[in-house]
């Protein structure tokens, strides 16, 4: 599974980190980034949930 975050689109709403806290976090500026230790959680259902929750569709799961 490949997860891409378009940081040009991200508005720092934080919905991804709320939906999948083992995969996403927010950097000091509030923008989304993947947790380096996300590992097994990448395949979990919450990743898709996070992508759907993003208000600006900044997350692509392929
Ligand atoms: S939910 Fe979308 S806009 Fe909000 S922090 Fe995550 S990627 Fe950015």
């Amino acid at each position: 599974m490949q997860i891409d975050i378009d940081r040009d689109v991200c508005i720092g709403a934080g919905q991804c980190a709320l939906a999948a806290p083992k995969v996403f976090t927010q950097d000091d500026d509030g923008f989304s980034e993947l947790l380096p230790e996300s590992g097994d959680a990448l395949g979990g259902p919450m990743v898709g949930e996070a992508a759907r929750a993003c208000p600006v569709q900044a997350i692509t799961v392929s």
Side-chain angles (χ1 to χ4, degrees):
M1 177 182 284
Q2 172 79 32
I3 301 173
D4 291 305
I5 303 169
D6 187 342
R7 289 168 61 92
D8 291 333
V9 173
C10 174
I11 57 171
Q15 297 303 312
C16 53
L18 281 176
K22 291 182 178 172
V23 179
F24 298 95
T25 187
Q26 288 176 277
D27 67 15
D28 292 343
D29 295 322
F31 296 110
S32 178
E33 61 184 12
L34 290 174
L35 284 168
E37 69 271 25
S38 47
D40 292 347
L42 286 178
M46 299 315 287
V47 172
E49 198 57 45
R52 276 189 291 277
C54 177
V56 291
Q57 283 85 51
I59 300 170
T60 305
V61 181
S62 53

